[in-house]
Amino acid sequence: MAIQLKKSYKFALRSSFFIALALTALLTGILFFLKKFDLGIVLLFFPLSFLGSFLIVQARIERFIYRRVKKIYDDVSLLESSSFSNRPITTDMKTLTEEIEKFAQDKKVEIDTLKIREEYRRDFLGNVSHELKTPLFTVQGYILTLLDGAINDKKVREKYLERANKGVERLIYIVKDLDFITKLEVGDFNLKKEVFDIVELIENVFDLLEMRAAKKNISMGFDTTYDTPIYVLGDREKIQQVVTNLLVNSIKYGYQDGTTEVSVENLIKNKVIVRVTDNGEGISKEHIPRLFERFYRVDQSGSRKEGGSGLGLAIVKHIMEAHGEKIYVESEEGVGSEFSFTLEKAENKEA
Ligand code: ADP
């Protein structure tokens, strides 16, 4: 691509002025010395020498710029062709310096971002392999014991196969969550916003989790009866995921015979707030700020009875942020927790 040259005459004009001034002074001196001083000659010499010097200086600058500076532009534009290729080259040194400085600054920002991303990637991979290792070794342990002879004992065989299967199930939901969060983090999903009834959605999730809650005899329900639908605008499937993750947690970290209550309230004119409250084990203060981080768990030990992929709340946060909505948590150890999130209200089904 032909590169344009944006000319600047300032430097040549100034230099030529000083050269012409010096030459005229020299000529005046010589004329005085030879006792042939003539003002007419001096006055004619000045503009002529000015013009001559200007043409020479400008020609030299342009040659220099074309050879050297163009090479710099070419080298730089090799790296950043998109930002440089369409701009005219300048022969003005100040602009050139500014452009190179800006280029260097941009590169620094880019390198810093890449470094952060690299760190994040390393962390992520470390966490993933750590998360997968435990269930994998469990499954392997049972299979090896079976191969070692336990397979012949009918009672033990079934028990071990069931436990191995539990391990595989755990592996599956870790991988599913990982897949989901990866998609969320690379921004590889578009929200399919629609108007839906949040009360109905929550009821569906209650139904889906009924068995799970029953195992711990946890009663799950609304704080009051919602006779009329409450329409909101959002990605129905993703909001269902949010409600599910919060309710699953309230069961997982809830006490036997506990209660989980959901409420939907008007917050401000165009917002509703959905609260999921439990009277479970709660979370102590120091853990709250990190709760929504990927793989963060309050009980870091491997001896947890409960626990999923450690991605549940990170997924919740991603989904709510993608909606431009807020998620809050309030909790007290031994008393219970309340997770709440906002949603945009829709006037009616057709809105
Ligand atoms: P996990 O898969 O471990 O449940 P989450 O991201 O869903 O991962 O939750 C992170 C941590 O937050 C959990 O390990 C748990 O300690 C804590 N937590 C989440 N919800 C609750 C709750 N309702 N009550 C008590 N602790 C909770």
Side-chain angles (χ1 to χ4, degrees):
M1 199 200 87
I3 299 175
Q4 265 177 278
L5 188 79
K6 195 172 99 193
K7 289 186 182 180
S8 162
Y9 299 104
K10 223 166 37 190
F11 179 79
L13 281 172
R14 269 199 206 163
S15 310
S16 319
F17 178 76
F18 290 122
I19 294 170
L21 212 63
L23 287 177
T24 314
L26 188 70
L27 179 73
T28 315
I30 293 170
L31 288 178
F32 262 119
F33 183 73
L34 300 174
K35 299 197 171 46
K36 283 187 179 161
F37 179 75
D38 182 338
L39 187 65
I41 293 179
V42 172
L43 286 180
L44 188 67
F45 181 77
F46 180 77
L48 282 178
S49 58
F50 175 75
L51 189 69
S53 338
F54 174 76
L55 292 175
I56 294 168
V57 173
Q58 184 65 21
R60 293 297 306 154
I61 289 176
E62 280 179 23
R63 230 178 121 73
F64 170 77
I65 299 283
Y66 256 128
R67 283 226 191 115
R68 303 277 175 82
V69 180
K70 187 175 169 293
K71 185 165 179 339
I72 297 177
Y73 267 101
D74 284 348
D75 291 348
V76 167
S77 50
L78 260 186
L79 294 169
E80 189 67 283
S81 51
S82 57
S83 64
F84 272 99
S85 54
N86 293 328
R87 280 199 255 144
I89 285 182
T90 177
T91 59
D92 173 5
M93 285 298 162
K94 191 164 158 275
T95 320
L96 179 68
T97 318
E98 275 169 13
E99 275 187 22
I100 299 282
E101 262 168 23
K102 191 181 165 295
F103 175 78
Q105 195 61 38
D106 288 352
K107 283 284 152 213
K108 192 177 170 308
V109 173
E110 209 175 305
I111 290 168
D112 286 349
T113 323
L114 286 175
K115 274 189 191 156
I116 293 170
R117 234 185 265 168
E118 171 59 17
E119 205 174 302
Y120 172 90
R121 194 188 63 87
R122 225 181 303 136
D123 268 16
F124 190 70
L125 277 180
N127 282 329
V128 169
S129 52
H130 176 81
E131 290 304 320
L132 294 180
K133 245 186 321 197
T134 323
L136 258 181
F137 287 160
T138 313
V139 174
Q140 192 189 33
Y142 286 118
I143 292 177
L144 286 179
T145 322
L146 284 168
L147 286 176
D148 270 355
I151 199 155
N152 299 321
D153 182 335
K154 192 172 175 291
K155 247 173 93 188
V156 174
R157 183 172 65 198
E158 245 164 58
K159 196 165 86 186
Y160 281 14
L161 279 174
E162 258 165 34
R163 288 189 186 167
N165 188 41
K166 276 250 160 64
V168 174
E169 272 172 11
R170 191 166 150 72
L171 279 171
I172 290 173
Y173 70 62
I174 291 177
V175 172
K176 265 194 193 157
D177 276 2
L178 271 173
D179 190 40
F180 193 72
I181 204 156
T182 311
K183 279 198 187 118
L184 289 176
E185 290 188 353
V186 295
D188 191 22
F189 76 100
N190 295 317
L191 289 181
K192 286 187 226 94
K193 281 199 179 179
E194 58 181 309
V195 174
F196 61 90
D197 176 11
I198 185 74
V199 176
E200 188 198 326
L201 182 139
I202 296 166
E203 266 164 3
N204 286 344
V205 183
F206 282 158
D207 291 346
L208 287 171
L209 298 177
E210 203 182 302
M211 298 263 284
R212 226 166 149 164
K215 274 193 192 155
K216 274 174 116 174
N217 196 28
I218 288 179
S219 73
M220 211 166 46
F222 284 113
D223 62 325
T224 172
T225 36
Y226 292 89
D227 299 324
T228 47
I230 300 176
Y231 292 114
V232 291
L233 182 69
D235 185 319
R236 193 193 168 103
E237 221 175 275
K238 303 252 164 22
I239 297 298
Q240 174 148 344
Q241 176 88 53
V242 169
V243 176
T244 309
N245 288 8
L246 294 181
L247 283 175
V248 165
N249 277 353
S250 81
I251 300 171
K252 275 199 304 200
Y253 306 105
Y255 292 132
Q256 182 76 27
D257 307 322
T259 312
T260 294
E261 208 173 78
V262 181
S263 70
V264 187
E265 293 158 37
N266 282 322
L267 186 67
I268 47 172
K269 199 168 153 264
N270 60 340
K271 297 271 177 199
V272 293
I273 186 160
V274 179
R275 294 181 211 273
V276 177
T277 316
D278 66 58
N279 56 359
E281 62 189 52
I283 306 151
S284 67
K285 264 203 186 75
E286 75 261 27
H287 295 292
I288 290 187
R290 300 194 57 192
L291 223 50
F292 293 93
E293 284 177 23
R294 280 175 293 111
F295 300 112
Y296 188 79
R297 290 207 186 90
V298 171
D299 181 2
Q300 300 287 346
S301 69
S303 63
R304 316 182 287 280
K305 315 184 282 303
E306 296 286 2
S309 59
L311 293 170
L313 288 180
I315 289 175
V316 165
K317 182 167 167 260
H318 270 297
I319 295 178
M320 292 329 294
E321 275 177 0
H323 277 81
E325 300 290 348
K326 297 256 184 298
I327 168 111
Y328 306 98
V329 53
E330 267 177 53
S331 189
E332 199 178 322
E333 209 174 357
V335 177
S337 317
E338 182 185 282
F339 287 84
S340 51
F341 62 91
T342 58
L343 276 176
E344 195 177 325
K345 207 156 55 175
E347 276 319 311
N348 53 55
K349 192 95 190 84
E350 284 73 42

